[in-house]
Amino acid sequence: MSIGLFFLIFAGLLIIGTPVCFVFSSMAMLPSLMADKFPYTADAAVRSMVSGLDSFPLLAIPLFMLAGVIMAKGKISDKIFNIFAYFIGNKTAGLPCAVVITCLFYGAISGSGPATTAAVGSMCIPFLTSVGYDMLFSTALVAVSGGLGVIIPPSIPFIVYSNSANVSIANMFIAGVLPGFVIAGFLMLYSYFYCKKNGEDKELIQKKYQEVRANGFFHLLKESIWALITPVIILGCIYGGIASPTEAATISIFYALFISLFIYKTLRVQDLPGIIYEGVVTYGPILFVISSAVAFGRVITLMKVAETVGTAILGTFESKFVVLLIFNCILLVVGMIMDTAPAILVFCPIMLPIASSLGVNPVHFGIIMVVNLAIGFVTPPMGVNLFVASNLTKLPVMDIAKKVLPFIAAFLIALLLITFIPAISLALI
């Protein structure tokens, strides 16, 4: 079976809306059904799917997702926003910048873009609009900033990439820190220019700012400290060698339950079955996709797709600069039509060998992939964060999509710096 026909059928199934896990599993079996001599039979593909989830590192994905759901329901993001608003709320664009920092910080708890958008947006969008900021601007700000949730560790796409590329999850987590700060910096810079150009209701902002500061810093710190140290506990356990990422994910669940039930008392015991159900509904489909993608990746390897594509690209372009630009363009388009996990599972086995042959560090390339795909969270037609934000505000998705364009431009500038300055990703490793 030719590679061209294989991917034509693959694209066709995706275009007509076939569930991704069915696409992966059926494509894994197709070559052996069309050619008896293909070395990877249908029953071998099924065995790969069953064994594909027998991985201790992959267990971190549902655990971090469940922790994210608990923290969202426990309104942890509210406490984080208040502490940042206390310091910069009265500055120009101070409150929008506080939203970006809150998304950055909450991303270090949830590991998910949509979860970050939902948790931060549910509190921050009403707050911003109450002090005079435009609803569309506020919604677009949260939708784009929510993408930081998959770049700042612990990141679920980093775990998926690590498993696919066979690189250290801990190294991926460390490498995501500086890129996350760079992207957040550009988003805050645009927010500043927007507020300078369009003005702010200083009187309303000052009134709300005084309400935040009313009880004093130490009272606010006492309320927020449990939320603020959450990423310190999670990441400290990993980087300190105390726990693996999977074990740290388990710790994060118990810690989230403890502070939500007994410290903040924002959850009740009777809420837990609903939270667990929501967690299963959220991560169940992803695990099915990963399982079927294991077999799909094996077929891609046996068909020598990476070698064929690599020969074609490297035979045409010799410059690492040009090849990385091409990969960025491809991944930006892919992010518009595919979810992050399946996109990584499909394109990592094809692109990584080519990038490695050009001297690109696998960890650095993983950051490039995830940052590209994070932009897909706010680009139609997939644009998961757009739909989450639209659900929060009832604004039309396309109206939000138009408003995020300047934020995407800021994101793209950061992407180019991250792509061509490897030290941004690798300096801390």
Side-chain angles (χ1 to χ4, degrees):
M1 184 178 186
S2 71
I3 293 175
L5 178 60
F6 180 84
F7 278 100
L8 185 63
I9 297 172
F10 175 76
L13 290 173
L14 289 176
I15 289 171
I16 64 175
T18 309
V20 174
C21 61
F22 178 79
V23 173
F24 281 162
S25 56
S26 58
M27 294 305 297
M29 299 178 188
L30 185 61
S32 64
L33 296 176
M34 295 186 68
D36 294 336
K37 295 183 179 180
F38 191 75
Y40 195 60
T41 61
D43 62 319
V46 172
R47 286 196 298 270
S48 295
M49 292 175 206
V50 174
S51 62
L53 295 180
D54 186 17
S55 168
F56 185 69
L58 279 182
L59 185 59
I61 294 176
L63 293 175
F64 273 126
M65 282 187 159
L66 180 57
V69 173
I70 295 170
M71 292 174 189
K73 299 296 183 183
K75 301 186 181 301
I76 305 299
S77 60
D78 297 16
K79 311 297 182 182
I80 297 172
F81 175 79
N82 287 337
I83 196 73
F84 294 126
Y86 180 93
F87 289 104
I88 61 175
N90 63 336
K91 310 297 183 184
T92 300
L95 292 177
C97 287
V99 171
V100 176
I101 299 171
T102 302
C103 286
L104 189 74
F105 212 86
Y106 192 83
I109 297 173
S110 72
S112 165
T116 301
T117 302
V120 177
S122 60
M123 182 263 183
C124 290
I125 293 174
F127 187 91
L128 289 178
T129 55
S130 72
V131 293
Y133 290 101
D134 177 65
M135 173 70 83
L136 267 176
F137 168 76
S138 304
T139 306
L141 172 68
V142 171
V144 178
S145 301
L148 294 168
V150 298
I151 299 166
I152 288 293
S155 161
I156 290 166
F158 283 170
I159 299 172
V160 176
Y161 176 83
S162 298
N163 188 68
S164 181
N166 195 29
V167 299
S168 164
I169 295 177
N171 282 346
M172 286 300 303
F173 282 0
I174 295 172
V177 174
L178 291 183
F181 285 133
V182 169
I183 295 167
F186 277 97
L187 295 180
M188 288 189 284
L189 188 61
Y190 170 71
S191 298
Y192 177 82
F193 285 125
Y194 176 90
C195 293
K196 270 288 188 181
K197 178 182 176 182
N198 295 279
E200 298 173 288
D201 192 327
K202 293 293 186 181
E203 186 176 335
L204 269 177
I205 290 173
Q206 188 63 28
K207 181 180 177 182
K208 285 285 185 181
Y209 177 67
Q210 291 302 326
E211 288 177 9
V212 171
R213 295 179 65 95
N215 294 321
F217 172 71
F218 288 105
H219 175 80
L220 185 60
L221 181 63
K222 181 182 175 182
E223 281 194 341
S224 305
I225 189 65
W226 295 94
L228 291 172
I229 65 173
T230 304
V232 177
I233 291 173
I234 297 170
L235 300 178
C237 287
I238 297 172
Y239 302 149
I242 299 170
S244 68
T246 302
E247 292 164 342
T250 306
I251 293 170
S252 71
I253 290 176
F254 284 101
Y255 182 77
L257 284 172
F258 174 75
I259 63 174
S260 297
L261 288 171
F262 303 113
I263 304 297
Y264 295 136
K265 297 181 180 179
T266 47
L267 288 181
R268 300 170 300 169
V269 174
Q270 50 265 46
D271 296 328
L272 298 184
I275 289 173
I276 294 171
Y277 173 80
E278 184 175 334
V280 171
V281 170
T282 302
Y283 62 68
I286 293 178
L287 296 183
F288 276 113
V289 168
I290 292 173
S291 173
S292 55
V294 171
F296 181 81
R298 179 63 176 158
V299 169
I300 286 178
T301 301
L302 291 172
M303 293 179 69
K304 298 183 178 179
V305 173
E307 292 91 330
T308 303
V309 174
T311 301
I313 290 178
L314 296 176
T316 308
F317 307 102
E318 296 181 358
S319 167
K320 179 169 74 171
F321 179 89
V322 174
V323 172
L324 287 177
L325 273 182
I326 292 171
F327 282 174
N328 277 339
C329 292
I330 293 172
L331 290 169
L332 285 171
V333 174
V334 167
M336 296 179 187
I337 57 176
M338 289 183 73
D339 199 7
T340 309
I344 291 172
L345 293 167
V346 171
F347 288 92
C348 176
I350 298 172
M351 292 181 168
L352 181 58
I354 301 171
S356 298
S357 70
L358 293 171
V360 179
N361 185 290
V363 172
H364 177 214
F365 188 71
I367 301 297
I368 294 172
M369 283 198 80
V370 173
V371 172
N372 271 286
L373 296 172
I375 297 174
F377 281 125
V378 285
T379 49
M382 193 71 182
V384 180
N385 283 11
L386 294 178
F387 289 96
V388 173
S390 175
N391 186 59
L392 290 173
T393 60
K394 309 307 176 187
L395 292 172
V397 169
M398 291 311 297
D399 288 352
I400 303 172
K402 293 174 185 176
K403 198 69 174 180
V404 302
L405 289 176
F407 286 107
I408 291 176
F411 221 120
L412 288 172
I413 295 171
L415 169 63
L416 290 175
L417 292 176
I418 291 165
T419 299
F420 298 112
I421 306 177
I424 295 175
S425 301
L426 304 176
L428 299 180
I429 297 179

